[in-house]
Structures are given as C-alpha cells and as structure tokens.
Amino acid sequence: MMMTKRAKYLLMSVSSCPLLSASVAGAQTASPPAVVTAPGASEAPAANAPAATTSAQSADQGGVQDIIVTAQKRQETANRVGMSITAASGDDLKLRGITSAIDLVKIVPGFNFTQSNYGAPVYSLRGVGYYDTSLGAPPAVSVYVDEVLLPFSIMSIGATLDLERVEVLKGPQGTLFGANSTGGAVNYIAAKPTSTFKAGFDATYGNFNRLNVGGFVSGPISDTLKARISFSNEHSGDWQYSYTHDAKRGKSDVFMGRVLLDWTPSDRLKVRINVNGYTDRSDNQAAQLVAVLPSAPAVVKAQPLPPGNNRAADWDDLDPYRRKADFLQASVRVDYDINDAMQLTSITAYDTFDRDSVTSADGTRVQNFAAATPGSSRDFGQELRLSGDIDRVRYVLGGSYSYDNVKDSANALADVSSLPFKKSIGTANQKVNTAAIFGNLDYRFTDTLTLQGGVRYTDLHRKFNGCLYDSGAGDLAATQSAAASRLLGRPVVFPAGSCVTLGPDFLPILDREKLNEDNVSWRAAINWQVTPRALLYANVSHGYKSGAFPVANATNYLQFAAAIQEDVIAYEAGFKLTAFNRTLQLNGAGFYYDYRNKQLRGRRIDEIFGSLNVLVNVPKSSITGGEIQATLRPAKGLTISAGATYVDSKIRGDFLNYDALSQFGNFSGEALPLTPKWQATGDGQYEFALSSEMRAFVGGSINHQGATHAGLGTNPLFAIPSYTLLDARVGIETPDDRWRLVAFVRNITDKYYWTNTFQSGPNVVIKYTGQPRTFGATLSYRY
C-alpha cells in the first residue's frame, strides 16, 4: 500500500532537536525516505529503517506514524528529543501555494512577515524580529539554503526553488552553526540530484494573467557524479489599480535557477556544489493612503482616501517604480568521514547582490515622497566543523568566518512636499568581519534522559561610513548652509552636490564609525522520555543579534548612531504526545524571553526633515507565551492539522522616545510594535479513490493574525487590525504521483487587510495591503 505525499508532510510537523534529523519510518520503496534534517545534522537516512509496508499500512489505517530521528546515522524516535521545529515538504508547499518565505505564516504558528516600505522583507518568530528597511540589516531570523547562510533577508526571494523541504526553528540559534540570531532560523533544503534519471515540471495559470512555469532535470553523469538543474519563471500582470486615474501596476517577473552537483569520489568523501540565483524585474507595490498630515501642501491635502479593498492604491507618473535585483550564490560543501563515528564538514560560500529600486511611498497622485534605494552586497563565508559520537556523547565542534561588504543608499524624491528640496541622496557603506567558534554536546545520561549543551563565542567588527548628499540642484546644500550659518554665527556655503551632513563642528562630514562587539551565546536542555509515546523537555538559551547602523537621510551625524547588539535569554518547556491509538500527535510548549537592548525603529526630530526614523535600543522588554500544534488522522484519507501561538510582549521599565507621529512619551508597559498576541493556522484534507487509476482530494486552510500596532504609542492611524484568511483547493492525481491537477482559491473572501502602516516622509501616513483573492490551476508532472 502507498503512503501519500500529503501524509508525509503532516508527519513531518514535529518538534526536533537542532542537532538531529527526522525521517519517516519506512518510506515507500519507490522513493527514498522523507527526511527532516535540522540544521547541522547529517542528511543521510538510517541504513536499517523499518520495512516500507509496515509504515504504509499504518498510515492508510488512519494512524500517525512513528517519526525516526537520525544523528550521524543513528536512529531515535522524535519523542526522545525536544525543541520546537516545524517542517514541510516541498510537495506540500506547492500544494498550498507557499512560494516564498512570506507565505510561511500559513503553516508556522508564531512566524510573522512584515512588508517594509522599501522592499526588504522582515521576518519574526514568537514576536522576535528586527524591522529595518536597509539592504544590509542584520536579521533576527536567519535564513539558510542547505545550511548556507543568506546574510540578509532580501536575498531570500529565490530560496523556495525546487525544495525537498523547509524547516523553521524557534528560539535563539547559533550554538551549532551559521550565524547568531535571537528569533530563530529558516532552513530551506533543496531537492538533491538523483541516482536515476528524473524530471518534472509545474505550470500554474491564474487570474491577473499569472503564469508560473518551473521544472527540473536530475540524474547521474558518471558513476561518481550526479547533477540536478532546476528553474522557475514567475510572471503575473498588474493587480493594483489607481482610483484617481486610468493606471494599473503590480506585475511580477522573477526568474530563479539552480545547478547542483554531487560528486562522491570515494565512500568517505562527498562534495556538493550549489550555484543558484535569481533576477527580479517586478513592480514595487504602491502604497495606500491612510491620512494626510497638517504639514502637507494643499495639493496633497486634496488627495482623496482610497476605497476599502486590497487592490486600490495611487501613485504618480514620474517614475515606473520598479525594481531591478540580481542575486548569485556559489557554495561548496565537503563531507569527509574520518572514520565510522567522526565526520569533517567544510562549507564555503560567496554571493553577490545588486539592486536598483524606486518605490512610490506616499499613496498619492503626486510625488510627495518616493525612495530610490540602489545598493549592492558582496559576501563570503567559511565554516569548518567536526561531528561524531563517543560512546554516550554526540558532539559538534567548529568555527566560522564571514565578510560582508554592503553599499546602500536611501534617496528621497519629493517633487511636491513640505521639504525644502526635491531630492536628496543618503549613503551608508559597511564592512563587517565576523569570526566565531562553537561547540555542542548531547549526553545520553540514561535510556530515557538526555542532556544537551552548546556554546558559541562571536567576535564582530563593523566599519561604517555615511553621508547625506545634495543632488546637484543645490537646494539641499543651500538649506544646510543656512542651518550651519545660524549655528556657527557666521556665513558658510556648501557646494551643490556635496556632502551636507553636519558634524560636531556644524561643518559637513563623511561620518565614519566603528562597532566592535563580542558575545558568548549558549544553550542547555534536558529531555525526559516519560513513556515511549510521551516526552517532556525543557531548555534555556542565550542568544545575540549584532548591532547595526542605519541608512538615513542624516542632516546631523548623530542620526547615524548605531543600535548596539541585542540579546535574549529564552526559557522553554514543552511536551510531545502520541495518543488515541496513534491517531493524534500533540505538541505544546510554553516560553518566556527576557530581552535586553531590543533593536527598534524609533524617532529623532530633525530641524530640516522633521521626524526621522532612527535605530534605538529598548533597555528591557519581555515576551511570555505558549503554542500548541496537533495532527489528527481520525479516519482513512482524512487529515487535520492545527496550531496556535500566544505572545504577550511588554516593554519593561522606562523607555522615553517618540511615537509614530513624533509625540514624546514614556512607553513603559506597551507591547512591542508589529507583535500580534494571537496567531493560528489550520489545514484539512480528505483524499479518496475515484478509480484504480485516479484519486482525488479536497482541502482548505485557515490563517489568523491577531491585531497589533506598527509603532510606539497607541495612535489609531498605525493600528493593524486582526484578519483571517481562507484558502481552498481541489485536485486529482494518479496513484503513482506522476500527474496532478490542482485548482485553488486563495483569500476566498477577498479579505481587506494590511501588514504595515507608517509615516512616509513628513506629510502622509500610508499602509501596505495584502493580496486580493487569487485563483487558478496548477498542472504537475513527474517522470
């Protein structure tokens, strides 16, 4: 009997230790076992997995299968390890329309996405995130592809191409491998080259003239060399419309590609080469106007507010407001088995990223405020680690080095505004050197009790230089000259096109700063296998995220002040339980995060620009919460999964700053911005046979995001109401999974919602809406 791919996914939504991998016990004989590997673990399936017929029969009889976790080719059930991780297969991601990290909110309770105003995505887990708009913002939630770090969140657009699975780990990370992070990690695992010839394609057509075509070819080149080539071209037409003039925008045009080579010259040596990248030529989303502030010119005050739907927006015709982004990454991974119990791993990566983007950020028919954000990044990373077993101890020891060279700009375009100029050029260049050593140990104290510990030392050196430049028109230079003349008590004149950021002596300065930081992060855990089907676990970890400099239109050098590194001590206790004759898998956890120096977008009042975003540190804050996930198979063919997360965030002690409209206040006791208290996900699917040669399925999912606020204070203009989205799907497929046709509808009710709202420039408040109702069909074929 055959286990469906859908069943495989649902069995992969488990809690697991970051050292370990989980595979379905006894996968079908037609394909290798489905493996869920947490970062840092061996991806090889266990050599002596149980027979396929046993697990397949168990699945078809309505029971939740045992999950086998493997670390260095040893087997344990998932109930013997404890840490919150959600995993999903690449097949299920396609089925549910999850084509980017943005969509992970549909399957990962506690995961949240925020659209920033200049295109950089912001990810958070359990309320831990870092909202910044710059290209080189160090993330609180790290993203990896096959354990190779994507240094900045904006590089994650192409990470979802041709996946075997995705894993999301919650809580501070860094004691095992990769980079420090306070929120968690998302690890995408690419589908690997196969030992026999395989090929496939997926084609989707939907409303707004959406046409996505992708495919792969995989197989052996020689006895020791295998290859896999995959691609995806995503294209759609305009989905936004102007409500004041005859214009549309919102097209998408993204191409992604990957070449994987697996070379195995001997039984002990394996080399994997991964070359991947993407090009993005899409429109930037237009903002929706929320309010016009009293400082605005009359023509801006005359702008009407939009109708209440996701598609309506407005923009001017001075620029096409598109982005041109190119990303290329090459990595080499070498695994060498020193002996049967010890492995040496080297991961080397280099990537380049370039963008030229212009965003209309005012939601009006005139150019009140727009932003041009050209930039580039060149990044190198090297990691070396040793892992293995010694009797009852499993260990990982290693070190890493990375170098990032980021050039970024934030150019303000204000043809009609209260600003005394029409264009400014803000630059920020950073060079970052990071070195770390780390170690992690698992000790099997008894057959039912396992102790874990990890530590990491990180040394980081960040060099920064930034300045605000006149565009060459001389208007900003004249304004800054007048300000400096008043402050100095004598006339000074700054040339057109020059740097005009005022230094400590009130004369122009290219501000140069350094930020040298080090830290020791750590983790300790205990797992108690109460019964073969019940686990209790507890862990405590101390994580860090590096400090950062802002990209700002800084008329004064003080606006370039860095936010120092933040750190969090996270406490978590949880359980995993299989019950009711294996028809229910229930996982739950409670957590408390003690936050120090949380990095936040605050405000500073500037005499030229007025209220400006700056980086600040919140001295003390906390997050208290809990989550629960369940998978239920009450009958053959029927599977139901659900999850929910509750997060209560709070600023502790005094914190003096400005709210979203520049009103000074003490924000003690307030919730952290962009942190909803409640998030929930759910999915159900029923599969049934139409004939011996065809089966059908019908399913749906729900995603609820609680209310939150986009900034400090309680001004209703910046409120983000709660919303609930519904998706549905129906399809047919052959029993051998060769052909599949799926029809889908997403956001069935065409729910009007938004994910961010903020003051853009000095005159308007805007928001970014979510996607409207979309529908279409996907045809897939596998050979």
Side-chain angles (χ1 to χ4, degrees):
M1 301 178 69
M2 184 175 294
M3 180 179 61
T4 65
K5 290 183 178 180
R6 177 65 180 164
K8 290 181 187 177
Y9 157 70
L10 291 161
L11 299 172
M12 287 161 56
S13 297
V14 299
S15 293
S16 177
C17 168
L19 275 173
L20 305 176
S21 65
S23 62
V24 177
Q28 55 184 309
T29 57
S31 61
V35 181
V36 181
T37 307
S42 167
E43 294 184 22
N48 57 339
T53 55
T54 302
S55 61
Q57 290 170 355
S58 176
D60 285 341
Q61 290 169 0
V64 176
Q65 287 180 284
D66 284 335
I67 304 299
I68 301 300
V69 294
T70 61
Q72 308 306 317
K73 302 181 182 178
R74 290 192 180 183
Q75 297 187 57
E76 292 180 301
T77 65
N79 283 345
R80 294 189 179 276
V81 293
M83 186 180 185
S84 183
I85 175 174
T86 298
S89 70
D91 184 73
D92 195 76
L93 296 175
K94 287 188 176 72
L95 191 65
R96 296 180 62 174
I98 298 170
T99 58
S100 70
I102 295 171
D103 300 320
L104 290 177
V105 296
K106 296 181 180 181
I107 63 171
V108 183
F111 183 88
N112 201 18
F113 161 78
T114 301
Q115 176 69 54
S116 73
N117 45 342
Y118 303 143
V122 178
Y123 309 130
S124 64
L125 278 166
R126 292 175 170 173
V128 180
Y130 173 56
Y131 183 84
D132 192 21
T133 59
S134 61
L135 184 162
V141 177
S142 301
V143 179
Y144 302 83
V145 177
D146 285 346
E147 301 183 11
V148 177
L149 176 68
L150 298 177
F152 307 113
S153 298
I154 200 169
M155 299 174 176
S156 64
I157 293 175
T160 55
L161 174 65
D162 190 26
L163 293 179
E164 180 180 311
R165 64 191 180 277
V166 63
E167 305 157 2
V168 181
L169 284 79
K170 301 173 184 179
Q173 304 296 321
T175 63
L176 189 62
F177 82 106
N180 270 337
S181 64
T182 45
V186 179
N187 192 28
Y188 292 98
I189 292 86
K192 300 302 185 291
T194 51
S195 299
T196 59
F197 178 77
K198 301 285 185 181
F201 76 83
D202 301 281
T204 298
Y205 184 76
N207 59 333
F208 305 118
N209 289 318
R210 177 187 179 191
L211 179 60
N212 297 350
V213 178
F216 72 92
V217 177
S218 176
I221 297 176
S222 70
D223 291 342
T224 60
L225 184 64
K226 298 180 293 184
R228 188 180 185 105
I229 300 173
S230 54
F231 79 95
S232 174
N233 188 35
E234 300 180 1
H235 177 82
S236 66
D238 299 321
W239 66 274
Q240 290 188 293
Y241 71 88
S242 168
Y243 58 92
T244 66
H245 64 294
D246 185 18
K248 294 182 179 181
R249 64 178 298 104
K251 77 167 188 177
S252 174
D253 189 359
V254 181
F255 177 83
M256 298 176 281
R258 179 187 295 126
V259 177
L260 278 175
L261 296 174
D262 278 4
W263 181 45
T264 311
S266 71
D267 292 340
R268 292 191 178 275
L269 179 63
K270 182 176 182 179
V271 180
R272 175 170 297 153
I273 299 174
N274 184 336
V275 179
N276 64 90
Y278 69 84
T279 64
D280 186 359
R281 301 293 185 270
S282 306
D283 290 347
N284 283 316
Q285 183 175 344
Q288 195 173 85
L289 185 64
V290 174
V292 178
L293 302 179
S295 60
V299 66
V300 178
K301 290 180 179 178
Q303 297 295 307
L305 294 179
N309 67 68
N310 292 320
R311 297 184 60 197
D314 219 350
W315 59 92
D316 61 85
D317 300 321
L318 298 182
D319 194 280
Y321 297 116
R322 294 173 181 168
R323 60 182 176 269
K324 177 182 178 182
D326 299 284
F327 174 72
L328 180 65
Q329 183 183 76
S331 66
V332 179
R333 173 173 177 153
V334 180
D335 291 297
Y336 179 68
D337 292 334
I338 299 173
N339 54 46
D340 291 342
M342 183 181 296
Q343 185 182 65
L344 183 66
T345 299
S346 170
I347 300 177
T348 307
Y350 178 76
D351 56 66
T352 68
F353 178 81
D354 297 275
R355 77 169 178 187
D356 190 2
S357 177
V358 185
T359 303
S360 177
D362 53 44
T364 71
R365 182 69 179 87
V366 298
Q367 190 188 74
N368 174 255
F369 191 83
T373 54
S376 66
S377 181
R378 302 292 182 264
D379 311 284
F380 170 80
Q382 173 63 57
E383 181 173 310
L384 189 67
R385 65 176 184 257
L386 186 70
S387 56
D389 294 2
I390 301 176
D391 193 20
R392 291 179 173 269
V393 176
R394 304 170 188 173
Y395 63 87
V396 177
L397 303 173
S400 64
Y401 170 78
S402 65
Y403 173 74
D404 306 295
N405 186 357
V406 183
K407 298 180 180 179
D408 204 359
S409 294
N411 307 335
L413 309 174
D415 188 64
V416 179
S417 80
S418 61
L419 296 172
F421 61 87
K422 293 191 174 184
K423 182 179 180 180
S424 67
I425 302 173
T427 66
N429 303 316
Q430 300 188 58
K431 295 182 179 180
V432 187
N433 286 274
T434 307
I437 55 174
F438 54 88
N440 204 91
L441 298 176
D442 281 16
Y443 177 63
R444 298 185 300 279
F445 189 75
T446 69
D447 291 341
T448 61
L449 193 65
T450 301
L451 307 178
Q452 297 174 318
V455 65
R456 175 192 180 99
Y457 172 74
T458 302
D459 183 54
L460 182 144
H461 299 270
R462 187 183 298 269
K463 294 182 179 179
F464 169 89
N465 70 72
C467 192
L468 175 65
Y469 288 87
D470 178 84
S471 67
D475 47 2
L476 179 57
T479 300
Q480 283 290 85
S481 297
S485 297
R486 292 195 306 271
L487 293 168
L488 290 170
R490 58 181 176 83
V492 293
V493 177
F494 305 156
S498 66
C499 171
V500 296
T501 297
L502 301 185
D505 58 358
F506 307 120
L507 294 176
I509 182 177
L510 175 64
D511 190 41
R512 300 181 185 273
E513 302 286 348
K514 292 182 180 181
L515 186 62
N516 298 327
E517 299 174 320
D518 66 347
N519 59 70
V520 177
S521 55
W522 48 265
R523 179 177 182 268
I526 183 170
N527 301 331
W528 180 29
Q529 196 71 50
V530 183
T531 73
R533 300 292 180 189
L535 170 75
L536 297 178
Y537 69 89
N539 58 63
V540 56
S541 55
H542 191 182
Y544 288 84
K545 190 188 83 65
S546 69
F549 289 96
V551 179
N553 285 273
T555 59
N556 187 289
Y557 79 104
L558 294 176
Q559 291 166 237
F560 284 131
I564 62 173
Q565 65 183 357
E566 67 178 28
D567 69 289
V568 60
I569 299 179
Y571 305 87
E572 178 177 341
F575 66 90
K576 290 187 284 184
L577 176 67
T578 306
F580 302 115
N581 197 27
R582 298 173 60 182
T583 61
L584 173 67
Q585 179 67 45
L586 185 65
N587 302 336
F591 51 88
Y592 175 77
Y593 290 0
D594 186 5
Y595 230 147
R596 292 291 188 274
N597 293 315
K598 175 176 173 55
Q599 298 165 3
L600 196 69
R601 277 274 178 174
R603 292 276 176 171
R604 184 186 295 272
I605 305 301
D606 179 81
E607 64 174 283
I608 304 299
F609 287 88
S611 175
L612 284 179
N613 285 318
V614 295
L615 294 181
V616 297
N617 289 100
V618 179
K620 294 181 181 180
S621 55
S622 63
I623 295 174
T624 305
E627 63 188 18
I628 192 164
Q629 289 182 275
T631 300
L632 179 66
R633 292 181 58 85
K636 180 180 177 180
L638 177 62
T639 308
I640 301 170
S641 62
T645 299
Y646 172 77
V647 171
D648 181 21
S649 64
K650 184 177 296 184
I651 295 175
R652 297 162 48 202
D654 293 334
F655 176 62
L656 305 177
N657 203 260
Y658 297 88
D659 70 8
L661 284 182
S662 306
Q663 300 299 310
F664 189 76
N666 186 343
F667 301 101
S668 176
E670 283 197 6
L672 297 173
L674 299 170
T675 307
K677 279 195 173 184
W678 286 101
Q679 292 177 266
T681 63
D683 187 81
Q685 180 156 303
Y686 179 61
E687 303 174 1
F688 55 95
L690 294 176
S691 68
S692 61
E693 298 181 352
M694 190 67 65
R695 64 190 181 202
F697 58 87
V698 58
S701 60
I702 184 171
N703 170 34
H704 174 78
Q705 298 286 312
T708 184
H709 209 270
L712 296 170
T714 57
N715 192 302
L717 291 178
F718 301 90
I720 301 177
S722 64
Y723 59 88
T724 302
L725 305 180
L726 302 174
D727 297 349
R729 59 187 179 272
V730 61
I732 56 175
E733 60 188 358
T734 57
D736 60 2
D737 295 320
R738 179 160 290 190
W739 289 98
R740 174 190 285 168
L741 178 63
V742 183
F744 61 85
V745 184
R746 292 162 193 150
N747 191 4
I748 295 175
T749 63
D750 203 18
K751 175 67 176 179
Y752 176 44
Y753 69 102
W754 54 95
T755 60
N756 198 7
T757 179
F758 50 89
Q759 181 182 348
S760 179
N763 301 144
V764 296
V765 176
I766 62 170
K767 61 188 175 188
Y768 282 115
T769 62
Q771 288 290 303
R773 177 170 50 234
T774 58
F775 54 86
T778 299
L779 177 65
S780 300
Y781 173 75
R782 296 293 181 267
Y783 175 80

